[in-house]
Amino acid sequence: MVAFLSARDVAQAVNRLGAKAFWPRLVDYLREDFKAWSAFDKSPRFASHSPGGVIELMPAGDSRTFAFKYVNGHPGNTQLCLQTVVAFGALADVATGYPIFLSDMTLATALRTAATSALAASHLARPESRTMALIGLGAQSEFQAHAFHAILGVDRLRIFDIDPEAFEKFERNMAGSGVALTRCDSARDAARGADIVTTVTADKRRATILTADMVAPGAHVNGVGGDCPGKTELARDLLLRSEIFVEYAPQTRIEGDIQQLPPDHPVTELHDVLAGRRSGRTSPDAITIFDSVGFAIEDFSVLRLLRDLARETGVGSEIELIAAPVNPKDLFSLLRPESAPAVRREAARQGH
Amino acid sequence: MVAFLSARDVAQAVNRLGAKAFWPRLVDYLREDFKAWSAFDKSPRFASHSPGGVIELMPAGDSRTFAFKYVNGHPGNTQLCLQTVVAFGALADVATGYPIFLSDMTLATALRTAATSALAASHLARPESRTMALIGLGAQSEFQAHAFHAILGVDRLRIFDIDPEAFEKFERNMAGSGVALTRCDSARDAARGADIVTTVTADKRRATILTADMVAPGAHVNGVGGDCPGKTELARDLLLRSEIFVEYAPQTRIEGDIQQLPPDHPVTELHDVLAGRRSGRTSPDAITIFDSVGFAIEDFSVLRLLRDLARETGVGSEIELIAAPVNPKDLFSLLRPESAPAVRREAARQGH
């Protein structure tokens, strides 16, 4: 039997632990896996493109555990009242190849994306950062807000979206969080005076949400929405005057905001900062950018945590994902369930 | 919700349809997909190797449906009383990227492998073939026997395995099938006088189970066990004097028995025979070989059939594999299930 968490179960596991405990724990799992960077098989993802979008299989694993995520990206889904991105994933035991855990990952991907942003910011933003601009109030926005509140103590948000309804949804989801919200009229207005600027817009094209003149010296930019070829948020001039940090350079140069820069433009990989091999921000006045695109190791981390939470909290169920014949060499016996007693009688009669 | 079939459900669906109806139906689905060969995205599988074995993700799809299979291969698992190969898979809707069906594929892989062998033999073996040698009585053997009985009317089997217990298991699983079984002392003995010779041994090395002098003119060889680099069953001399048919030449040249031959040795792809573009056997005296390695399209076919059987027979269950927030832009609402009524009250009070 394989442990299974539905999206509802994931939510229940998170809520049972409580946001205060959950976010630091997820960041710990992420930090641990990022620090073990060289132990991971960093295979490229498999992508199947179609007119409506893309379906991807993202594998990740170390010597003990293999993980993969199924995830799509279909921008037109909102017109069908469907999500643009849904995902599920599994963990397997490398020693035997048996799957051990299956989970929804729509919610889990949102959680790990926000936790990775917060982990990066905890090393890159100035320590006294408490005010964050949040530009784009879509599906990922509240996750970012809660993660930054839990990990960095960000308690003032300057929020903006082009859709007025998005403000209401966001405010509803932040009610009771202890975070003060200020509605802003534009991205420029939101960024004003912010210690951290998070861009998490959904427009699938080369957009310019943030330019160099909108960002104060010493700010940290958490660029989340520019995450695939042709989709960017940060102006080239902002990138050129900033210190840029990425998850995995070969992938980010294709998918991230730095797709606008020459392929040899210097960037620092986050794992090198976490492991102390490279420094984070070099001065209080520097602008740092985390050009986030999402990496398979993050899926590995969140799946690991969810599997542990399933065990600890008892949330979830078990499903018979793979066949389990009594005799592993006798798979066909599964097709004859009704014959099993007869077989035993016959064997007894023949003296076996 | 996503339809889900466990291995038990797969067995139940097959049994509810009955073997007589099931095997021809699976062969029909396979034939249909093989004939639509050019419509398929034939991406290479992803493989993660470790000291104990391999874990693979095998994608396949056409313009409407995407499929993938998770499958391992761990020869040492039998010592742990585990299966060497387990698998599960999913279908997704290409238009939206949403997964629609999840299933055990350990049993399904065994079914599709045998049905593909029978499909190939129905085009390659002499029409009057009724006697088959079955060399190797492991997990796949009964599936081959039942498929060849249902599709070609094979009703006499000459069986051999190096393990005496395998005979008993095989005979138990064939009881009541209407197929006459003859125990043989060796592979050579089994092949004697056989119209079809099926090799489905498990030894993971360059073995020589069948040599040219063991196979009569006019026989069809169904080589199933030689299916990965370094694992072969058929002697080079037998390959050289036979007409060779494969699923997909680029893959079979690496994984199949023809890995022993030069890369330009002529072979015919099965889909070309099914579609009438190439001929099958050229004379009643020729030896034909189907060098089977298993191809992703076959997983696609069996998943399609199982999805349809789940609908038709009502077997299986539904699982909440992916998140389904009421508002697709409000994923975070899933983390606040208890707050939903409060939100509605608040909205009413504010006159929204």
Side-chain angles (χ1 to χ4, degrees):
Chain A
M1 299 295 276
V2 169
F4 169 60
L5 291 189
S6 69
R8 214 181 296 254
D9 296 329
V10 171
Q12 211 185 332
V14 172
N15 286 330
R16 211 168 274 193
L17 201 65
K20 268 214 172 72
F22 174 79
W23 289 106
R25 184 113 181 249
L26 178 50
V27 166
D28 283 347
Y29 275 58
L30 286 162
R31 187 184 289 112
E32 190 183 330
D33 292 333
F34 267 98
K35 281 176 135 174
W37 187 259
S38 62
F40 280 88
D41 183 0
K42 280 168 283 291
S43 307
R45 63 184 75 184
F46 164 84
S48 173
H49 295 273
S50 60
V54 63
I55 290 175
E56 296 183 336
L57 298 174
M58 296 169 70
D62 61 16
S63 61
R64 286 168 52 204
T65 312
F66 174 85
F68 80 88
K69 177 165 83 164
Y70 169 103
V71 60
N72 76 313
H74 283 68
N77 275 3
T78 44
Q79 282 150 39
L80 307 168
C81 214
L82 294 174
Q83 299 163 92
T84 54
V85 178
V86 298
F88 66 95
L91 290 178
D93 177 21
V94 168
T96 65
Y98 271 53
I100 50 179
F101 180 65
L102 177 73
S103 178
D104 162 77
M105 286 197 71
T106 314
L107 199 51
T109 300
L111 293 164
R112 65 81 157 149
T113 300
T116 304
S117 283
L119 170 62
S122 71
H123 287 262
L124 301 175
R126 284 175 294 111
E128 66 273 24
S129 301
R130 294 293 177 274
T131 300
M132 179 162 91
L134 189 48
I135 299 167
L137 302 175
Q140 168 67 199
S141 60
E142 298 92 348
F143 295 91
Q144 291 283 335
H146 280 276
F148 276 75
H149 182 53
I151 303 299
L152 287 97
V154 165
D155 55 8
R156 290 184 299 274
L157 289 179
R158 302 179 57 78
I159 61 177
F160 174 69
D161 196 287
I162 51 172
D163 174 9
E165 283 181 26
F167 285 97
E168 287 163 35
K169 179 214 65 158
F170 184 82
E171 287 161 356
R172 202 157 60 224
N173 285 327
M174 295 303 295
S177 65
V179 179
L181 309 181
T182 304
R183 286 195 186 202
C184 297
D185 295 331
S186 64
R188 180 176 297 275
D189 181 19
R192 196 166 288 138
D195 303 310
I196 299 170
V197 182
T198 290
T199 55
V200 56
T201 60
D203 199 353
K204 197 175 173 162
R205 64 194 164 95
R206 288 198 177 241
T208 304
I209 306 297
L210 210 60
T211 51
D213 60 313
M214 290 160 65
V215 180
H220 171 66
V221 175
N222 173 38
V224 181
D227 63 353
C228 61
K231 182 166 185 268
T232 59
E233 293 180 316
L234 309 181
R236 197 162 179 279
D237 68 342
L238 174 59
L239 293 168
L240 289 175
R241 65 150 292 184
S242 303
E243 297 172 348
I244 301 173
F245 299 83
V246 301
E247 287 140 317
Y248 181 45
Q251 183 182 330
T252 312
R253 291 196 193 277
I254 296 167
E255 301 175 2
D257 276 289
I258 59 168
Q259 65 190 266
Q260 303 171 71
L261 302 185
D264 58 349
H265 188 88
V267 299
T268 303
E269 289 186 339
L270 180 61
H271 65 95
D272 281 329
V273 177
L274 301 183
R277 289 183 292 264
R278 297 281 299 269
S279 54
R281 71 164 45 237
T282 55
S283 86
D285 286 339
I287 294 176
T288 51
I289 293 179
F290 176 52
D291 187 2
S292 160
V293 296
F295 189 57
I297 287 182
E298 297 154 27
D299 300 315
F300 180 86
S301 304
V302 74
L303 277 172
R304 262 199 326 126
L305 172 58
L306 291 174
R307 177 200 53 187
D308 291 351
L309 290 184
R311 285 181 190 155
E312 291 167 24
T313 65
V315 167
S317 57
E318 294 207 311
I319 64 169
E320 200 191 354
L321 186 60
I322 52 164
V326 177
N327 171 1
K329 290 182 183 171
D330 192 2
L331 183 61
F332 192 84
S333 64
L334 294 177
L335 281 174
R336 323 184 63 208
E338 72 294 351
S339 67
V343 168
R344 275 203 297 277
R345 275 200 303 277
E346 188 186 273
R349 211 168 44 235
Q350 295 180 355
H352 291 294
Chain B
M1 299 295 277
V2 169
F4 169 60
L5 291 190
S6 69
R8 214 181 298 253
D9 297 330
V10 171
Q12 211 185 331
V14 172
N15 285 331
R16 210 169 276 192
L17 202 64
K20 268 218 173 71
F22 174 79
W23 290 105
R25 184 113 181 249
L26 178 49
V27 166
D28 284 346
Y29 276 58
L30 285 162
R31 187 183 288 113
E32 189 182 334
D33 292 332
F34 267 97
K35 280 176 135 177
W37 186 258
S38 63
F40 281 87
D41 183 359
K42 280 167 284 290
S43 307
R45 61 184 77 182
F46 164 85
S48 172
H49 294 272
S50 60
V54 63
I55 290 176
E56 297 183 336
L57 298 174
M58 296 169 71
D62 61 15
S63 62
R64 288 166 52 204
T65 312
F66 174 86
F68 80 89
K69 178 165 84 166
Y70 169 102
V71 60
N72 77 313
H74 284 67
N77 274 3
T78 44
Q79 281 149 42
L80 307 168
C81 214
L82 295 174
Q83 299 163 92
T84 53
V85 177
V86 297
F88 65 96
L91 290 178
D93 177 20
V94 168
T96 65
Y98 271 53
I100 50 178
F101 181 64
L102 177 74
S103 178
D104 162 77
M105 285 196 72
T106 315
L107 199 50
T109 299
L111 293 164
R112 66 80 159 149
T113 300
T116 304
S117 283
L119 170 62
S122 71
H123 287 262
L124 301 175
R126 283 174 295 113
E128 66 274 23
S129 300
R130 294 292 177 275
T131 299
M132 179 162 90
L134 189 49
I135 300 167
L137 303 175
Q140 168 66 201
S141 60
E142 297 92 348
F143 296 91
Q144 291 283 336
H146 281 276
F148 276 75
H149 182 53
I151 303 299
L152 287 97
V154 165
D155 54 8
R156 291 185 298 274
L157 290 179
R158 302 180 56 80
I159 59 176
F160 174 69
D161 197 286
I162 50 172
D163 174 10
E165 283 180 25
F167 285 97
E168 287 164 34
K169 178 213 67 158
F170 184 82
E171 287 162 354
R172 205 158 56 226
N173 285 327
M174 295 304 293
S177 65
V179 178
L181 310 181
T182 304
R183 286 196 186 201
C184 297
D185 295 331
S186 64
R188 180 177 296 275
D189 182 20
R192 196 165 291 139
D195 303 310
I196 299 171
V197 181
T198 290
T199 55
V200 57
T201 59
D203 199 354
K204 197 174 173 162
R205 65 192 164 96
R206 288 198 176 238
T208 304
I209 306 298
L210 209 60
T211 51
D213 59 313
M214 290 160 67
V215 180
H220 172 65
V221 175
N222 173 39
V224 181
D227 64 351
C228 62
K231 182 167 184 269
T232 58
E233 293 180 317
L234 309 181
R236 196 162 179 278
D237 67 342
L238 173 59
L239 293 168
L240 289 176
R241 67 151 290 183
S242 303
E243 296 172 349
I244 302 174
F245 299 83
V246 301
E247 287 139 317
Y248 182 44
Q251 183 182 328
T252 311
R253 291 195 192 278
I254 295 167
E255 301 175 0
D257 276 288
I258 59 167
Q259 66 189 269
Q260 304 172 71
L261 301 185
D264 58 350
H265 187 88
V267 300
T268 303
E269 290 186 338
L270 180 60
H271 65 94
D272 281 329
V273 177
L274 300 183
R277 287 183 294 265
R278 297 281 300 270
S279 55
R281 74 163 42 237
T282 55
S283 85
D285 286 338
I287 294 176
T288 51
I289 293 179
F290 177 52
D291 187 2
S292 160
V293 296
F295 188 56
I297 287 182
E298 298 154 27
D299 299 317
F300 181 86
S301 305
V302 74
L303 278 172
R304 264 199 324 126
L305 173 58
L306 291 174
R307 177 201 56 187
D308 291 352
L309 290 185
R311 285 181 190 154
E312 291 167 26
T313 64
V315 167
S317 57
E318 295 207 310
I319 64 169
E320 200 190 354
L321 186 60
I322 52 164
V326 177
N327 172 359
K329 290 182 183 172
D330 192 2
L331 183 60
F332 192 84
S333 64
L334 293 178
L335 281 174
R336 321 184 65 208
E338 73 294 352
S339 67
V343 168
R344 275 203 297 277
R345 275 201 303 278
E346 187 186 273
R349 211 168 44 236
Q350 296 179 355
H352 291 296

